[in-house]
Amino acid sequence: MLVLAIETSCDETAAAVVRDGRTVLSSIVASQVAIHAEYGGVVPEIASRRHLESIVPVVEEALSASGVSLSEINGVAVTQGPGLVGALLVGIAAARGIGAAMSIPVTGVNHIEAHLLAAFLEQEIEFPYLALVVSGGHTHLYRVEGVGRYSILGQTIDDAAGEAFDKVAKIVGLTYPGGALIDRLAASGDPKGVKLPRPLLHDGSCNFSFSGLKTAVLNWVQKNPDGKSGQPLQDLCASFQSAVCEVLAFKTAMALERTGIRRLVVAGGVACNSGLRREISVLAASRGVELYIPAPALCADNAAMVAVPGEYYLSERVATINGFDALPSWPLDRIKARFAERA
Ligand code: KG4
Ligand code: ZN
């Protein structure tokens, strides 16, 4: 089955052509990051307008790079939520338009579900596995039993990990989105240079909290303006990154222990972080756990990952949720409802 996948949930207009939900024939991502950087964060109205301008050229580029013509595509998969409502609507309208024009089926996909399954674009993974999803909007630990079968083991009670990276970057004067910039600066800093808290580390739950950590950075910066402490910015970045990664790894280890699961997937934009990749690799190796962290291009937002659940839902004729409404907040546990109403 040849699937055309479309992703417009936030600030990336993306399209991909994927064979059988596994082989990426093309994956095009047009990022709006430079535009939103001027405002220090994503401006929803600007995001929708940019998606409108980019969606047709991005889909055309994905088709031409794949060597597949539109008439050969068997179905369309599109991110239906969660995300920015205006941004989602652009992708959904494009997908439905193509579906109607070509008389092919269209299915809606949950963005987090796409992150959870992105690793299948690199290799097959046996179920069940534990998945740590760390992105700009999510920090969740899931037990994954199969496509559409997810249960939450833990989640952030305030900021997501990526959100914390971006807010701390802003505090120290880096441009949006600052996660990757902090990662780069942290590489030459001392992770023990600035003492920072590890929120909820010993609360006994698999939940996370990053808002207090961000405030601790803000307090430190206010007490040490203009590098008064003589401490380089690199040390602050390394200390912050190490606090986030330590908590993420600790809670992931706890979830592995409690569930007895021996396979781990790490996904979402923050899975690009070199400190997290290192810390989780050590954890997995020391416990004999099989570890899958997709290449950075598959961790960050892209459309190819949307084709993995998309192909499954199209071939199993599983219904979409609420027709094709954009679903700005769409908890993964509502996915089960799809299976009740086969199309
Ligand atoms: O999954 P994603 O591309 O979009 C969402 O669904 O949110 O994740 C974006 C997030 C941003 O917060 C960005 O700063 C963060 O991932 N990020 C990183 C790195 N690369 C991207 N955070 C830390 N280190 C990185 N190398
Ligand atoms: Zn994402």
Side-chain angles (χ1 to χ4, degrees):
M1 176 183 271
L2 284 167
V3 172
L4 171 66
I6 295 175
E7 152 67 40
T8 61
S9 65
C10 190
D11 58 349
E12 261 97 31
T13 316
V17 177
V18 178
R19 176 176 286 125
D20 300 330
R22 293 293 185 271
T23 310
V24 183
L25 302 184
S26 67
S27 179
I28 306 296
V29 180
S31 175
Q32 306 175 3
V33 154
I35 297 159
H36 298 290
E38 267 183 58
Y39 303 91
V42 178
V43 183
E45 181 59 28
I46 295 176
S48 315
R49 284 166 189 267
R50 284 300 296 179
H51 284 308
L52 267 177
E53 288 163 14
S54 307
I55 188 71
V56 172
V58 165
V59 167
E60 282 175 348
E61 198 182 336
L63 285 167
S64 90
S66 71
V68 169
S69 71
L70 187 53
S71 59
E72 294 172 273
I73 296 289
N74 306 111
V76 185
V78 61
T79 303
Q80 199 180 349
L84 302 168
V85 66
L88 290 164
L89 282 170
V90 176
I92 293 171
R96 296 189 74 189
I98 293 167
M102 305 308 294
S103 300
I104 52 175
V106 179
T107 195
V109 165
N110 182 297
H111 180 84
I112 300 306
E113 180 177 28
H115 275 305
L116 281 179
L117 300 171
F120 281 90
L121 295 169
E122 291 185 341
Q123 74 278 294
E124 290 304 304
I125 304 171
E126 263 182 67
F127 297 110
Y129 59 81
L130 186 85
L132 171 68
V133 182
V134 270
S135 71
H138 286 76
T139 302
H140 283 63
L141 278 163
Y142 287 101
R143 180 191 178 97
V144 181
E145 299 276 355
V147 179
R149 296 168 62 204
Y150 319 108
S151 44
I152 293 186
L153 301 170
Q155 60 187 303
T156 180
I157 58 166
D158 42 54
D159 292 351
E163 191 181 353
F165 266 99
D166 295 342
K167 285 178 175 171
V168 163
K170 204 170 179 177
I171 291 168
V172 301
L174 301 171
T175 53
Y176 173 86
L181 298 173
I182 290 190
D183 193 358
R184 213 171 303 150
L185 286 165
S188 52
D190 174 6
K192 292 195 168 61
V194 178
K195 210 167 158 358
L196 292 171
R198 268 69 175 151
L200 297 194
L201 195 62
H202 296 297
D203 74 332
S205 81
C206 291
N207 290 333
F208 306 93
S209 164
F210 294 110
S211 139
L213 178 57
K214 168 203 67 193
T215 308
V217 171
L218 178 64
N219 289 340
W220 189 89
V221 168
Q222 282 169 348
K223 279 190 202 134
N224 301 279
D226 307 323
K228 207 174 78 186
S229 66
Q231 196 108 28
L233 177 59
Q234 284 86 339
D235 284 2
L236 181 60
C237 291
S239 302
F240 167 73
Q241 179 167 300
S242 127
V244 174
C245 295
E246 192 181 318
V247 178
L248 289 172
F250 186 89
K251 297 282 176 140
T252 303
M254 191 190 260
L256 284 167
E257 219 153 85
R258 287 187 181 171
T259 56
I261 296 176
R262 314 297 303 157
R263 279 175 287 273
L264 172 63
V265 168
V266 187
V270 182
C272 298
N273 184 267
S274 57
L276 183 62
R277 293 174 93 94
R278 215 167 29 238
E279 190 115 5
I280 294 275
S281 301
V282 170
L283 175 160
S286 69
R287 287 162 189 263
V289 165
E290 285 171 39
L291 175 63
Y292 306 89
I293 313 183
L298 292 176
C299 288
D301 284 353
N302 66 89
M305 66 181 187
V306 173
V308 182
E311 188 266 349
Y312 182 86
Y313 293 133
L314 287 164
S315 55
E316 296 287 315
R317 305 170 76 79
V318 172
T320 55
I321 290 206
N322 291 4
F324 281 96
D325 285 355
L327 303 171
S329 49
W330 179 7
L332 268 187
D333 51 11
R334 277 188 57 208
I335 295 244
K336 286 192 202 101
R338 304 181 69 153
F339 291 88
E341 321 167 20
R342 303 230 162 196

